[in-house]
Amino acid sequence: QITLKESGPTLVKPTQTLTLTCSFSGFSLTTTGVAVGWIRQPPGKALEWLALIHWDDDDRYSPSLNNRLTITKDTSKNQVVLTMTNVDPTDTATYYCARQPTVGATAKVFEYWGQGILVTVSS
Amino acid sequence: DIQMTQSPSSVSASVGDTVTITCRASQGISSRLAWYQQKPGKAPKLLIYAASTLQSGVPSRFSGSGSGTDFSLTITSLQPEDFATYYCQQGSNFPRTFGQGTKVEIK
């Protein structure tokens, strides 16, 4: 059974760095063709893709946030970490992590999602 | 970036109706399109991938079609549990992009 769960602070002050952790089970990020990504959703708004890391350490970022994001993985802990620097109230959103295969029938789509974590940026 | 444009942004329908949502990509994406359903306070759920393939466990009243730039999601015989927001997502290029969502509301 594949599960993912986000954790991290729910309240962050402007200009601080936000660090979110995605802990997963039921698969390994050492397996060829597996990737884990982050997607966020401001309250009442649409989904926005942020970043993705592949089993081979290839990482991709949203160009609009590229210089503020870093995605890393810890395969021994089955975790993916997203770091966002210099947060702003417009970064207030529910942040989701999700598993994305890169091969097979469901390649390039997000098959499994975490429950999400609401992060508020406010002083 | 590939822009994904959904229409309509919202639709009111009754139980038993058929609803069609369209998604247009700003450039060709072959069949690299997925549809998700999201209910309030919940994570999105994958419904359809590769434009027309139903994810395991998804009722057959959901169907998808299209390729290239124009896609559609059709829900036949709408059920109470189908009232939700639906998003398309392209998997052709980075950055991955989503449509702005279509809310299916009860009439």
Side-chain angles (χ1 to χ4, degrees), chain A residues 15-121:
Chain A
T15 75
Q16 288 187 337
T17 294
L18 170 65
T19 300
L20 295 172
T21 300
C22 175
S23 301
F24 57 86
S25 63
F27 67 95
S28 173
L29 251 181
T30 61
T31 302
T32 298
V34 176
V36 172
W38 287 90
I39 302 100
R40 72 178 179 179
Q41 185 174 38
K45 295 190 176 181
L47 301 164
E48 179 186 14
W49 178 83
L50 299 177
L52 188 78
I53 189 163
H54 295 84
W55 80 99
D56 60 356
D57 288 324
D58 178 28
D59 55 8
R60 304 295 179 111
Y61 297 94
S62 167
S64 62
L65 292 163
N66 185 36
N67 60 345
R68 297 175 53 210
L69 297 177
T70 304
I71 189 169
T72 59
K73 61 182 175 67
D74 186 333
T75 54
S76 66
K77 294 182 179 178
N78 280 348
Q79 290 180 336
V80 169
V81 175
L82 181 74
T83 301
M84 178 183 289
T85 60
N86 192 28
V87 297
D88 175 89
T90 59
D91 296 313
T92 294
T94 296
Y95 287 76
Y96 297 99
C97 63
R99 178 183 184 269
Q100 182 212 267
T102 60
V103 295
T106 55
K108 317 296 177 65
V109 303
F110 296 102
E111 274 186 306
Y112 299 93
W113 295 65
Q115 62 190 27
I117 181 170
L118 175 60
V119 178
T120 301
V121 180

Side-chain angles (χ1 to χ4, degrees), chain B residues 19-23 35-36 47-48 62-65 71-75 86-87:
Chain B
V19 169
T20 297
I21 300 166
T22 64
C23 179
W35 289 98
Y36 302 87
L47 295 178
I48 287 171
F62 291 90
S63 63
S65 65
F71 302 86
S72 64
L73 170 70
T74 299
I75 314 170
Y86 294 85
Y87 293 93

Side-chain angles (χ1 to χ4, degrees), chain B:
Chain B
D1 299 7
I2 297 176
Q3 307 303 316
M4 307 300 292
T5 304
Q6 286 182 235
S7 62
S9 55
S10 66
V11 57
S12 294
S14 302
V15 172
D17 284 353
T18 294
V19 169
T20 297
I21 300 166
T22 64
C23 179
R24 175 165 288 177
S26 60
Q27 65 188 72
I29 59 171
S30 185
S31 296
R32 294 290 190 191
L33 185 101
W35 289 98
Y36 302 87
Q37 176 193 66
Q38 187 180 34
K39 296 183 179 179
K42 299 294 187 182
K45 172 188 171 186
L46 178 64
L47 295 178
I48 287 171
Y49 59 91
S52 61
T53 304
L54 217 57
Q55 174 70 334
S56 175
V58 174
S60 59
R61 62 182 179 271
F62 291 90
S63 63
S65 65
S67 67
T69 60
D70 293 312
F71 302 86
S72 64
L73 170 70
T74 299
I75 314 170
T76 57
S77 188
L78 206 61
Q79 296 300 299
E81 60 268 29
D82 301 336
F83 292 95
T85 300
Y86 294 85
Y87 293 93
C88 60
Q89 175 241 320
Q90 62 83 14
S92 177
N93 288 7
F94 286 104
R96 303 290 189 238
T97 43
F98 292 86
Q100 80 277 19
T102 295
K103 187 173 184 179
V104 178
E105 301 173 296
I106 301 174
K107 183 183 286 185

